[in-house]
Amino acid sequence: MTTPDETTPGTRADETSASDQTTGAIAPSGFLWGASTAPHQTEGNNVGSDWWVYEQRMPYFNPSGDAVDSYHRYEEDMRLLAQAGLNAYRFGVEWARIEPLPGQFSLAELAHYRRMIDTALSLGLTPVVTLHHFSSPRWFVEGGGWLAENAVERFCAYVERVSDILDGVEWICTINEPNMFAFMMLMAAAINSDAVPAMDTPTVQREDGFVLPRPLPQATQRLIEAHHAAREVLRRRTRAKVGWTLANLVIHATGPEAEAMAQEEREVREDVFLRAARGDDFIGVQAYSVQPVDSDGLVPHPPHPDNTLVGTPYRPDALGIAARHAWEVTEHVPVLVTENGIATADDARRIAYTREALKGLFGAVDDGVDVRGYLHWSALDNFEWGHWEPTFGLIAVDRQTFARTPKPSLAWLGDTARRGRS
Ligand code: BGC
């Protein structure tokens, strides 16, 4: 079994390149500074995926359509990040494109994603590649999806094939946010019957008191099995560091009477997935806000003027708390922040949020948490799983012309990366 690369810089304060006069925050040398995207949210016309169907059938959804046309414009996207001063880019490969029908792999699509990897490398961006980010091929879901007997086998056949194009990639995320995805699967009902599940996308909190359902236990087990099997394939076929990424919910009890329930919620929604990352090369931490729990379970976020555009409280401190929790529960698997950001139309607020989040993150570094990088969500304003209004991007996109306009936050994050500090 491959062990995390102990010699990779990123763990020790004495290897640092710079220190911040004002916050004491220190970025270890070799630290990844970048931004993240996902294929279905940016590429456009992902017609073979299950999400393409949900967008047509779910009552609250807008379609992704052309998304932001990154399928054709990825080079421009990457160039903007590199020019700003970032050194890493997380993006995904789309299973539905690579395997449009069971067992039929598209050489042209594999070549497309290889070009993306080569483009990132040539621009000085370390590619961080995600193999599954919420969307699955429609045929896979029609055939029973993740709960079917052969799901892991099917996923691994795809992973095996993708590993042919991953030469030179040092970071691979197998499955994005299995703890969200484990109940997102409920949407599969919209594919195999006329039933329309009464749920919105889990990434947007409605104001009617809706709370996220708990992950289905069988889905949790299946995804853990799939992650471990994919990890084995990737370790056999690549030299990359392998991990998965979690939605770190930062669950906390509203009072002493809710402690037991908070522990129960933490266990089924997060810790079971974190423990499954023991033995991985990194854990992808994705934190945005916090989640209170009372003695009945999750408490819906009340409407508040400071809430973000996805209805969550403004809590930049969530990132540092999440990094510490992941480090503890995984028993010290190195942390890569694979997502952190804010849905806001006010870019100055994005900068303020990110500055504060980084302060918390580097506080954790100072306390000994091994953090290997920070990848902001998101590079671009993009398709927020059925919605276009919540904008997370460092770069704005005109959805008629697809023209990209970098926001001040991109220059700010690039400067932070250049200085190596928050
Ligand atoms: C997901 C992204 C999503 C982001 C913001 C994460 O749950 O991985 O796909 O856009 O959060 O909501």
Side-chain angles (χ1 to χ4, degrees), residues 41 133-134 176-177 203 286 288 339 377 384-385 392:
Q41 294 176 267
H133 196 127
F134 293 162
N176 180 71
E177 296 191 349
T203 70
Q286 313 200 148
Y288 292 87
E339 291 185 22
W377 186 272
E384 182 57 28
W385 304 109
F392 284 89

